[in-house]
């Protein structure tokens, strides 16, 4: 919480009164109402109070009196404290103003369940923002200082003629409409109501989305028509970007709002606009802050001017802390990330979350608001939730509170921080948001308003406290409001029982550079007073520079096959830095030592994964090696060395690539990748593909729910130039209703030999390009492939032979390296002179019906090139899957089954064993026992691999039978 006081002072002040709104003008100044103890003579007691100018009995039986004093002479907090502590006083309070409940007269307000939910939408009663209670205090429009509050909505335009929006449009009074001249010389021609960043003009008209968003923020309230926005009189500045903006337009949009606020501040309100918040109900699904540092840094710059920024998170059920999102993953304290709730007070399933990035929830599912063409209707999604928070921010800025007004003047940055923290601290706990949002709750406008109002009851503490303890400097800076009469700063070592060092009435910045040593942990707090009442901030702490520690940053920049540079951030206490590096897996380190913050090494090996570590040597101590990093040197081929484009992050919360198979040479199964993209080049062995070879491709989509139609497209950089061109599309096929996409990849005869990159893209409906620049539904995976010259008609590798439950043998093999895509498969009984059963195939698997067969077969497969079979690869399999002679089951036993170390074969006394053969399920013979006698055989199986075996017996009478045996 932004505002903290020490525990004993909190108890003292708030145990006495729950309603001391001295600086928030909801009461008559210079008046108190006192309830005296029954036995007290009220008239005599009142006459004995030196501060009072007059008094009046309000209730004779209850002994309640109205006290009046000159508030220009006496501070109301001081009078309150003086009166309250007397034993004759039962209760004391301010003389508050009373007014009618602020329910707007807008004709369709009853349909706006988000403000006051009485079950009109079929949802849970009281699942709402409690906005009418907040409107009892303010309905928005201007600050207590008289500044007209402006919200910048960055969207796709709005219906500027809408009856409920037109009165609340921001107007640039210094610009003459439609004269083609930049009258106010702010760089924007005719920007009367805002700006269009897509076309660099002043056309903000249009936009059904922006119309609904703007209505949630500030549809004109209490005008007898339509609906009411969160604010009744706020001004909407529209910056139109049409949602197809590049980041340059994002920056331009926010910059427009910032420029208007700067102009307002610099001219004392004569130019520009008093922008207090921006709203972005759009973004990049899966976007990463590290990829957009300029975008993310804007929020801090806006915050320094007192502008809070609200962003809607993704409309999919993902954790943005893991998958990323822009802007809500940007790490700025001046950004509020918002997810979506429905009228049953539950997070909408299709709304993102994140315990670090998403601050709170707001109602945004089918909320009633303004729509295009001067109409009204429902609007939904996180796009509707975010502007509710934006509107709440603007509403809080309009609270009629003297001390908050002083904060707005003296420290806009601190005021923005305070408003954000009030909104999060006052959020109503919500079970569907617990643990997956920062606050664990949802927006409650009334609670936020009451909490900010409560802060006006006493002195606001020093704000925007900053400690600069880098290098030899220790500087403390802060801001205070005008009501603060005195400030005291005190500090001591953390955990010390020593008295604080106290500095009375310091002037910021406070320089403690010569007072505090290096590498010291210091705790501190401020004492401040208003009206003679002293308060304290909570203890905070900082560490001075000068500790012997590892650099905060340590990176490797690879320049060539043999050279790389190591760079790191300097440590203030560091004298010498030691760097060591080695190929991963090697036992021997190479070492370098320097006094600077960088070193070049030139003895590296090409195409080698290295690891490197750094340590700091200081004057009297040294760190251990740490900060380990890894890097790969060039020389691995185009797949690793060429500058392939990095595609935009994809939205894969509901659909992704589940499997990629290329001729069984590459068979990769996976779930949703982080940000919808993964490069498997370093983790999956590159398959070898031959010039002229044809390889079946299978792409399988995965879904979290509804199965959508998908397209798969495969690019292979055949000329190894680092670009996926249109003529390098190697495969493309549709996957409908969850079925796999199937095609054949043909390697051109002129493909460059070596390692190159393959990109597999799956997109909803159709694949746009090899390097999409915008987020789309689907996923992207990169692989390395090794292109080789055709080695001739070589045989494929037999991968597996499986006996299925329906007595079918399924044979799978890899694609050969030979030209063409056909194979000759043949099989027959082992040691038989019968002719082969042959079949020519184009795929990578074949099934044989074994329902009428029970024996051991041999199988051969060869590549079929130019009408001729090449060399064969051979295998065998056993087609027996059960007892072949049912009538023989009573004549012998196999026990125990399952077995572990041994088992026994036992025939009836009338039968004598002659031979026992043991096979595994591939047809390989494991054991053979011949020329046996007697009716039993004990077999030791302790060394056998766990699995299923086939036991075939033959008796001297000619009985033959087979059973399965399970070895555990």
């Amino acid at each position: 919480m932004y505002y903290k006081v020490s525990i004993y002072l909190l108890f003292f002040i708030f145990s006495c009164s729950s309603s001391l709104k001295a600086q928030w003008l909801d009461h008559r100044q210079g008046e108190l109402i006192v309830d005296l103890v029954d036995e007290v003579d009220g008239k005599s007691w009142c006459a004995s109070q030196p501060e009072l100018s007059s008094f009046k009995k309000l209730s004779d039986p209850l002994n309640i009196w109205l006290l009046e004093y000159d508030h220009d002479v006496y501070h109301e907090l001081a009078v309150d404290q003086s009166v309250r502590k007397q034993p004759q006083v039962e209760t004391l309070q301010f003389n508050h103003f009373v007014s009618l409940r602020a329910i707007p007269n807008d004709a369709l307000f009853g349909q706006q369940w988000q403000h006051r939910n009485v079950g009109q939408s079929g949802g849970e009663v009281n699942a709402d923002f409690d906005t009418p209670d907040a409107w009892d205090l303010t309905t928005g429009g201007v600050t207590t200082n008289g500044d007209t509050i402006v919200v910048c909505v960055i969207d796709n335009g709005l219906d500027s003629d809408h009856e409920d929006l037109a009165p609340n449009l921001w107007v640039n009074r210094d610009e003459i409409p439609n004269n083609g001249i930049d009258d106010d010389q702010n760089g924007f021609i005719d920007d009367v109501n805002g700006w269009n960043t897509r076309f660099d003009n002043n056309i903000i008209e249009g936009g059904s989305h922006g119309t609904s968003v703007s209505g949630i923020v500030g549809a004109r309230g209490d005008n007898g028509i339509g609906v009411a926005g969160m604010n009744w009189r706020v001004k909407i500045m529209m910056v139109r970007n049409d949602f197809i903006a590049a980041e340059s337009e994002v920056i331009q949009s926010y910059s427009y709002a910032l420029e208007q606020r700067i102009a307002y501040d610099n001219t004392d309100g004569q130019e520009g606009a008093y922008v207090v918040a921006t709203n972005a109900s759009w973004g990049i699904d899966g976007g990463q802050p590290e990829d957009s540092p300029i975008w993310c840094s804007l929020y801090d710059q806006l915050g320094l001017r007192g502008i809070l920024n609200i962003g809607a998170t993704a409309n999919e059920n993902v954790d943005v802390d893991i998958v990323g999102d822009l802007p809500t993953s940007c790490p700025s304290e001046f950004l509020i990330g918002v997810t979506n709730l429905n009228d049953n007070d539950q997070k909408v399933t299709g709304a993102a979350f994140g315990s670090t990035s998403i601050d709170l929830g707001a109602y945004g599912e089918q909320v009633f608001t303004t729509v295009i063409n001067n109409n009204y209707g429902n609007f939904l999604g996180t796009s509707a939730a975010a502007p509710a928070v934006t509107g709440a921010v603007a509403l809080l800025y309009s609270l009629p509170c003297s001390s908050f007004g002083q904060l707005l003047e003296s420290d806009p940055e601190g005021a923005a921080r305070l408003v954000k923290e009030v909104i999060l601290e006052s959020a109503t706990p919500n079970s569907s948001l617990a643990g997956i949002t920062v606050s664990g709750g949802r927006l409650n406008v009334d609670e936020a308003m009451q909490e900010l109002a409560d802060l006006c009851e006493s002195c606001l503490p020093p704000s925007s406290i900053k400690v600069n303890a880098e290098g030899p400097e220790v500087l403390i800076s802060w801001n205070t409001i005008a009501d603060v009469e005195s400030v005291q700063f005190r500090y001591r070592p953390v955990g010390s029982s020593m008295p604080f060092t106290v500095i009375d009435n310091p002037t910021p910045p406070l320089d403690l550079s010569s007072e505090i040593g290096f590498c010291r942990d210091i705790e501190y707090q401020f004492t401040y007073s208003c009206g003679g009442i002293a308060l304290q901030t909570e203890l905070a702490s900082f560490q001075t520079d000068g500790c012997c520690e590892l650099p905060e940053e340590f990176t490797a920049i690879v320049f060539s096959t043999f050279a790389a540079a190591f760079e790191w951030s300097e440590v203030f206490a560091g004298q010498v830095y030691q760097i060591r590096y080695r190929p991963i897996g090697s036992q021997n380190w190479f070492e370098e030592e320097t006094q600077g913050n960088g070193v070049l090494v030139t003895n590296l090996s090409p195409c080698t994964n290295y690891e490197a570590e750094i340590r700091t040597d200081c004057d009297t101590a040294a760190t251990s090696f740490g900060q380990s990093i890894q890097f790969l040197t060039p020389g691995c081929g185009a797949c690793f060395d060429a500058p392939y484009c990095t595609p935009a992050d994809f939205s894969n919360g509901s659909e992704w690539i589940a499997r990629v198979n290329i001729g069984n040479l590459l068979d990769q199964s996976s779930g949703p990748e982080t940000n919808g993209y993964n490069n498997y080049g370093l983790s999956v062995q590159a398959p070898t593909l031959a010039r002229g070879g044809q390889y079946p491709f299978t792409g399988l989509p995965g879904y979290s729910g509804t199965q959508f139609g998908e397209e798969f497209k495969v690019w292979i950089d055949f000329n190894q130039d680092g670009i996926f061109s249109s003529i390098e599309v190697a495969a493309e096929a549709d996957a409908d209703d969850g079925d796999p996409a199937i095609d054949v990849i043909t390697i051109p005869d002129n493909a460059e030999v070596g390692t190159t990159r393959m990109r597999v893209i799956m997109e909803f409906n159709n694949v746009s390009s090899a390097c999409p620049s915008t987020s789309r539904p689907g996923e992207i995976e990169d692989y390395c492939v090794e292109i080789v010259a055709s080695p001739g008609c070589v045989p494929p590798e037999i991968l597996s032979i499986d006996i299925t439950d329906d007595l079918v043998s399924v044979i799978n093999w890899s694609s050969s390296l030979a030209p063409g895509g056909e194979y000759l498969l043949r099989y027959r009984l082992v040691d038989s002179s019968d002719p082969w059963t042959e079949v020519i195939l184009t795929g990578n698997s074949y099934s044989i019906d074994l329902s009428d067969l029970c024996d051991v077969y041999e199988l051969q497969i060869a590549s079929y090139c130019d009408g001729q079979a090449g060399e064969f690869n051979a295998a065998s399999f056993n087609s027996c899957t059960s007892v072949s002679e049912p009538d023989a089951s009573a004549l012998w036993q196999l026990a125990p089954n399952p077995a572990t170390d041994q088992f026994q074969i036992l025939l009836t006394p009338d039968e004598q064993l002659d031979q026992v053969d043991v096979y595994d399920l591939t047809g390989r013979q494991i054991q053979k026992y011949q020329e046996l006698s007697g009716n039993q055989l004990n077999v030791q199986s302790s060394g056998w691999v766990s699995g299923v075996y086939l036991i075939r017996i033959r008796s001297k009478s000619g009985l033959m039978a087979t059973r399965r045996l399970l070895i555990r």
Side-chain angles (χ1 to χ4, degrees):
M1 177 64 200
Y2 180 91
Y3 175 75
K4 302 288 184 181
V5 297
S6 60
I7 293 175
Y8 72 89
L9 284 173
L10 266 176
F11 178 79
F12 172 78
I13 293 174
F14 290 102
S15 64
C16 299
S17 172
S18 61
S19 184
L20 296 177
K21 297 185 176 65
Q23 298 171 25
W24 168 52
L25 300 180
D26 66 338
H27 59 272
R28 289 181 178 172
Q29 290 185 290
E31 294 186 4
L32 292 170
I33 298 175
V34 62
D35 179 7
L36 297 175
V37 175
D38 290 342
E39 294 79 16
V40 173
D41 182 345
K43 186 175 182 179
S44 299
W45 180 87
C46 290
S48 67
Q49 307 304 309
E51 303 93 342
L52 301 185
S53 57
S54 64
F55 49 88
K56 176 183 178 181
K57 182 186 293 185
L58 299 178
S59 173
D60 188 39
L62 298 178
N63 207 8
I64 297 176
W65 295 75
L66 174 66
L67 313 180
E68 298 181 6
Y69 60 93
D70 188 345
H71 68 272
D72 291 328
V73 176
Y74 298 102
H75 195 289
E76 56 191 3
L77 287 179
V79 176
D80 178 273
Q81 184 182 18
S82 173
V83 173
R84 185 181 300 280
K85 67 183 180 181
Q86 298 185 43
Q88 296 90 343
V89 175
E90 186 77 40
T91 309
L92 183 72
Q93 69 167 66
F94 288 116
N95 187 14
H96 296 103
F97 295 122
V98 178
S99 64
L100 294 174
R101 290 292 182 184
I103 299 297
N105 62 9
D106 302 87
L108 302 176
F109 177 74
Q111 298 186 49
Q112 292 187 279
W113 63 265
Q114 67 268 28
H115 291 310
R116 185 174 63 173
N117 191 342
V118 294
Q120 65 268 51
S121 64
E124 181 177 323
V125 174
N126 293 326
D128 55 41
F129 293 130
D130 287 337
T131 328
D133 292 331
W135 287 335
D136 286 341
L137 305 184
T138 176
T139 56
V142 297
T143 69
T144 193
N145 301 324
D147 299 300
T148 299
I149 298 170
V150 179
V151 170
C152 178
V153 175
I154 305 172
D155 217 281
N156 70 340
L158 84 169
D159 183 354
S160 59
D161 294 326
H162 197 292
E163 62 185 1
D164 248 358
L165 294 179
N168 281 357
L169 284 183
W170 170 71
V171 177
N172 183 356
R173 302 294 180 186
D174 295 319
E175 193 73 31
I176 299 174
N178 302 317
N179 66 353
I181 299 173
D182 182 10
D183 300 290
D184 60 358
Q185 298 183 357
N186 67 351
F188 304 94
I189 297 174
D190 291 336
D191 59 325
V192 176
N193 303 121
W195 192 246
N196 185 319
T197 61
R198 183 183 177 191
F199 296 108
D200 279 330
N201 61 31
N202 67 336
I203 299 175
I204 64 166
E205 181 66 31
S208 59
H209 191 277
T211 298
S212 295
V213 167
S214 298
I216 293 171
V217 173
R220 190 63 170 244
D222 207 39
N223 61 349
I225 58 174
V227 297
M230 192 68 73
N231 299 263
W232 296 0
R233 298 291 190 274
V234 74
K235 296 303 179 182
I236 303 295
M237 172 192 290
M238 174 56 65
V239 175
R240 178 176 170 179
N241 69 350
D242 287 357
F243 307 141
I244 59 173
E247 280 191 66
S248 57
E249 292 180 41
V250 171
I251 293 168
Q252 186 181 4
S253 299
Y254 283 113
S255 182
Y256 182 83
L258 180 60
E259 289 176 46
Q260 297 300 329
R261 178 61 187 266
I262 291 173
Y264 190 91
D265 293 343
N266 291 345
T267 63
D268 197 23
Q270 296 303 305
E271 298 177 8
Y274 192 75
V275 182
V276 303
T278 69
N279 186 90
S281 290
W282 44 268
I284 298 178
D285 292 351
Q288 297 297 317
E290 57 266 28
D291 296 331
S292 301
I294 297 177
W295 178 351
C296 287
S297 68
L298 277 173
Y299 297 118
D300 287 340
Q301 298 303 315
L302 289 155
L304 293 177
R305 285 287 176 171
I307 302 174
L308 274 177
N309 308 277
I310 292 78
T313 192
N315 283 304
E316 55 181 336
N317 193 34
V318 296
D319 187 340
V320 298
D321 291 344
I322 298 175
V323 305
D325 181 63
L326 286 175
T328 59
S329 291
C330 290
S332 173
E333 60 183 323
F334 300 104
L335 174 68
I336 301 177
V338 185
T339 191
N340 189 17
L341 292 171
N342 59 28
D343 59 359
N344 284 313
D345 219 16
Q346 295 295 308
K347 185 186 83 69
V348 175
T349 301
F353 54 92
S355 60
T356 299
S357 301
I358 306 305
D359 293 289
L360 79 169
Y363 299 111
E365 196 66 8
Q366 299 294 347
V367 298
F368 199 72
T369 181
T370 51
V371 299
I372 199 78
N373 297 324
N374 199 33
N375 213 330
Y376 304 89
N378 288 327
F379 186 53
L380 77 163
T382 59
S383 291
V389 178
T390 307
V393 168
L395 192 66
L396 288 171
Y397 267 83
S398 70
L399 180 70
C401 164
S402 173
S403 59
F404 184 55
Q406 293 174 38
L407 184 64
L408 293 175
E409 291 284 351
S410 65
D411 188 8
E413 171 190 352
R417 263 199 210 92
L418 174 60
V419 169
K420 176 180 178 179
E421 292 176 10
V422 162
I423 284 177
L424 298 192
E425 287 285 339
S426 64
T428 299
N430 183 285
S431 59
S432 70
L433 301 175
I436 62 171
T437 58
V438 174
S439 67
R442 53 88 171 165
L443 175 67
N444 187 315
V445 182
D446 178 52
E447 288 294 328
M449 190 67 71
Q450 291 297 335
E451 185 161 334
L452 184 58
D454 287 344
L455 298 181
C456 291
E457 295 176 353
S458 59
C459 212
L460 287 180
S463 59
S464 296
I465 300 171
K466 295 183 176 66
V467 178
N468 178 16
E470 296 182 1
E473 290 187 337
V474 181
L475 300 175
I476 317 294
S477 61
W478 65 94
N479 287 297
T480 56
I481 63 173
D483 277 356
V484 172
E485 298 165 342
S486 64
V487 173
Q488 183 186 80
F489 181 82
R490 59 184 196 161
Y491 67 94
R492 67 182 178 187
V494 171
S496 173
S497 59
M498 299 172 56
F500 283 93
T501 298
V502 177
I503 302 175
D504 290 320
N505 294 314
T507 301
L510 174 60
D511 190 347
L512 299 177
S513 305
S514 60
E515 307 297 328
I516 303 176
F518 293 121
C519 194
R520 300 286 302 279
D521 290 317
I522 302 298
E523 60 184 6
Y524 69 94
Q525 65 183 171
F526 285 89
T527 298
Y528 56 101
S529 64
C530 297
I533 305 298
L535 302 170
Q536 289 180 336
T537 63
E538 284 191 341
L539 281 171
S541 64
F542 63 89
Q543 184 183 73
T544 60
D545 214 339
C547 297
C548 194
E549 56 192 5
L550 291 168
E552 291 184 0
E553 299 178 3
F554 178 44
T555 59
I557 303 173
V558 181
F559 290 108
S560 67
T561 303
F562 306 104
F566 296 111
E567 296 181 353
W568 55 91
S569 56
E570 290 190 79
V571 176
F572 180 68
Q575 301 289 320
V576 175
Y577 302 94
Q578 293 182 347
I579 297 89
R580 64 182 187 182
Y581 59 96
R582 65 183 178 185
I584 293 178
S586 173
Q587 300 298 313
N588 300 318
W589 293 93
F590 299 97
E591 295 189 357
E592 298 283 346
E593 185 174 288
T594 181
Q595 293 180 334
N597 65 335
V599 65
L600 178 69
V601 295
T602 58
N603 57 344
L604 304 177
S605 300
C607 193
T608 303
N609 280 307
Y610 279 87
E611 60 180 336
E613 298 175 348
I614 190 172
R615 60 175 284 179
T616 307
D617 288 352
C618 305
D619 189 23
T620 59
T623 68
S624 300
F625 277 103
Q627 294 287 90
S628 179
I629 59 174
Q630 296 183 2
F631 61 95
L632 175 69
T633 55
C636 300
C639 186
F640 298 102
D641 298 346
Y644 292 101
C645 61
T646 300
D649 298 329
F650 266 31
S651 173
N652 64 342
S654 58
E655 55 209 301
W656 60 87
I657 298 173
R659 185 183 181 190
V660 171
N661 184 286
I662 299 179
N664 290 329
L665 297 171
L666 171 68
D667 193 359
Q668 178 67 24
S669 296
S670 62
E673 309 292 352
T674 301
N675 304 326
Y677 172 71
N678 193 11
N679 184 353
Y680 285 103
L682 291 174
S683 59
V684 174
Q685 183 175 356
T688 304
L689 309 179
R691 287 174 170 174
Q694 293 183 326
Y695 304 91
F697 165 79
T698 301
L700 182 66
Y703 301 95
S704 62
T706 304
Q707 295 182 347
F708 304 98
E710 311 287 349
E711 183 185 36
F712 279 80
K713 190 173 285 190
V714 180
W715 283 263
I716 298 179
D717 184 18
F718 291 123
N719 64 1
Q720 300 185 23
D721 63 351
I723 300 172
F724 295 115
S725 67
S726 59
I727 62 173
E728 292 177 322
V729 175
E732 54 183 324
D734 292 331
D736 297 324
D737 300 325
D739 294 333
I742 298 174
D743 200 2
V744 175
I745 293 175
T746 300
I747 308 301
D749 292 331
N750 62 349
E752 291 287 336
V753 172
T755 304
T756 191
R757 183 77 65 90
M758 177 178 73
R759 176 160 293 174
V760 181
I761 301 184
M762 185 198 81
E763 278 190 47
F764 170 65
N765 278 345
N766 67 285
V767 175
S768 56
S769 69
C771 194
S773 59
T774 57
S775 176
R776 301 173 64 87
E779 196 166 76
I780 303 176
E781 294 179 353
D782 280 359
Y783 298 88
C784 291
V785 296
E786 180 74 17
I787 306 295
V788 299
S790 175
C793 200
V794 298
E797 176 188 358
I798 298 174
L799 300 178
S800 65
I801 302 175
D802 303 315
I803 310 296
T804 65
D805 292 339
D806 55 357
L807 306 184
V808 173
S809 178
V810 180
I811 302 99
N812 297 280
W813 61 92
S814 67
S815 293
S816 69
L817 303 180
E822 292 186 321
Y823 306 94
L824 175 63
L825 182 143
R826 62 189 188 183
Y827 61 94
R828 66 183 179 185
L829 291 171
V830 171
D831 300 328
S832 172
S833 59
D834 293 340
W836 294 91
T837 299
E838 295 184 339
V839 61
I840 296 176
L841 306 161
T842 57
N844 292 90
S845 65
Y846 184 67
S847 300
I848 303 173
D849 186 355
L850 303 174
S851 57
D852 297 326
L853 304 175
C854 180
D855 219 317
V856 179
Y857 285 80
E858 61 178 325
L859 176 143
Q860 295 182 351
I861 188 169
S863 296
Y864 199 68
C865 310
D866 298 326
Q868 298 291 326
E871 179 184 352
F872 283 95
N873 263 339
S876 60
F877 65 93
N878 195 318
S879 63
C880 299
T881 58
S882 63
V883 179
S884 57
E885 297 86 13
D887 294 338
S889 60
L891 301 179
W892 70 295
Q893 297 179 2
L894 179 65
N897 189 8
T900 52
D901 296 334
Q902 64 178 2
F903 61 91
Q904 182 186 70
I905 299 170
L906 179 64
L907 276 65
T908 63
D910 297 335
E911 294 288 345
Q912 298 290 305
L913 276 172
D914 179 45
Q915 182 173 315
V916 174
D917 298 294
V918 182
Y919 299 92
D920 65 16
L921 286 181
T922 68
R924 184 169 63 94
Q925 191 170 62
I926 304 300
Q927 297 286 348
K928 187 179 185 70
Y929 303 93
Q930 303 182 77
E931 300 177 1
L932 300 173
S933 61
N935 68 335
Q936 68 178 36
L937 175 67
N938 294 320
V939 180
Q940 298 295 319
S941 56
S942 57
W944 294 13
V945 177
S946 298
V948 177
Y949 295 83
L950 297 176
I951 311 298
R952 169 173 286 187
I953 67 167
R954 184 173 66 190
S955 72
K956 294 189 184 297
S957 67
L959 168 69
M960 294 186 65
T962 304
R963 281 186 177 160
R964 287 191 178 199
L965 171 70
L966 175 62
I967 297 295
R968 289 179 172 172

